[in-house]
C-alpha cells in the first residue's frame, strides 16, 4: 500500500507538473491569441481607414471627371466663339487692308496735289496782282 501511495504521489507530482506545463502553454497560447486579436483589431482599423480613404478618393475622382466634362464643354463653347469671332474679324481685316491700300494711294497723291496747289496759288497771286481783263 505504501508503494501504491508512493506511486500515486509520483503520478500526482507528474500530473501536477504536466498540469503546470499545460497551464503555462495555455497562458502562452492565450497571450498569442490576445496579441493576434489586438493585431487583428489594428488591421481592421487600418482597413476601415483605407476603405474611407478609397471612398473619399472615388468621390474626388467623380468630381474631377465631372469638372473635366464641364471644362471640355466650356472649351468647345470657347472654340465656337473663337471661330465665330474669326468669321467676324476676317471681313474687318479685309476692309482694313483695302482701306490701307486706299490710304497709301491717297498718300501717294498728296505730293502731286500739293505741287498742283502751290502752282494754282502762284497763278492766283499772279492773276490777283494783274487781272487778265
Amino acid at each position: 500500500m505504501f508503494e501504491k501511495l508512493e506511486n500515486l504521489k509520483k503520478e500526482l507530482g507528474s500530473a501536477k507538473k504536466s498540469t503546470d506545463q499545460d497551464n503555462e502553454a495555455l497562458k502562452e497560447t492565450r497571450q498569442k491569441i490576445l496579441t493576434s486579436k489586438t493585431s487583428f483589431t489594428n488591421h481592421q482599423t487600418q482597413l476601415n481607414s483605407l476603405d474611407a480613404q478609397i471612398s473619399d478618393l472615388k468621390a474626388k475622382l467623380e468630381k474631377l471627371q465631372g469638372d473635366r466634362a464641364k471644362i471640355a464643354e466650356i472649351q468647345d463653347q470657347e472654340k465656337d466663339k473663337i471661330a465665330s469671332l474669326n468669321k467676324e474679324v476676317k471681313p474687318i481685316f479685309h476692309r482694313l487692308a483695302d482701306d490701307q491700300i486706299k490710304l497709301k494711294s491717297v498718300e501717294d497723291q498728296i505730293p502731286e496735289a500739293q505741287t498742283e496747289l502751290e502752282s494754282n496759288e502762284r497763278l492766283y497771286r499772279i492773276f490777283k496782282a494783274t487781272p487778265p481783263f
Side-chain angles (χ1 to χ4, degrees), residues 4-22:
K4 259 187 170 180
L5 187 61
E6 281 298 316
N7 283 339
L8 285 173
K9 281 184 183 182
K10 284 182 186 177
E11 281 183 40
L12 181 62
S14 176
K16 187 175 179 183
K17 187 177 180 182
S18 177
T19 302
D20 288 343
Q21 287 175 347
D22 288 345

Side-chain angles (χ1 to χ4, degrees), residues 54-86:
I54 287 170
S55 294
D56 288 346
L57 290 173
K58 283 181 179 179
K60 285 179 183 178
L61 178 62
E62 286 180 26
K63 184 184 180 310
L64 288 173
Q65 287 173 337
D67 290 348
R68 177 195 276 169
K70 288 177 186 174
I71 288 171
E73 183 180 328
I74 290 169
Q75 192 175 26
D76 289 343
Q77 291 171 355
E78 292 303 315
K79 281 181 185 177
D80 292 343
K81 286 179 186 177
I82 288 172
S84 175
L85 287 173
N86 279 337

Side-chain angles (χ1 to χ4, degrees), residues 28-40:
E28 288 175 10
T29 303
R30 193 175 292 138
Q31 186 60 40
K32 287 179 183 176
I33 289 171
L34 287 173
T35 303
S36 292
K37 187 176 180 181
T38 302
S39 178
F40 175 79

Side-chain angles (χ1 to χ4, degrees), residues 105-122:
S105 173
V106 169
E107 285 175 347
D108 289 344
Q109 293 174 6
I110 288 175
E112 183 181 313
Q114 204 162 10
T115 304
E116 188 178 333
L117 176 65
E118 289 170 0
S119 172
N120 286 338
E121 283 176 345
R122 272 188 246 125

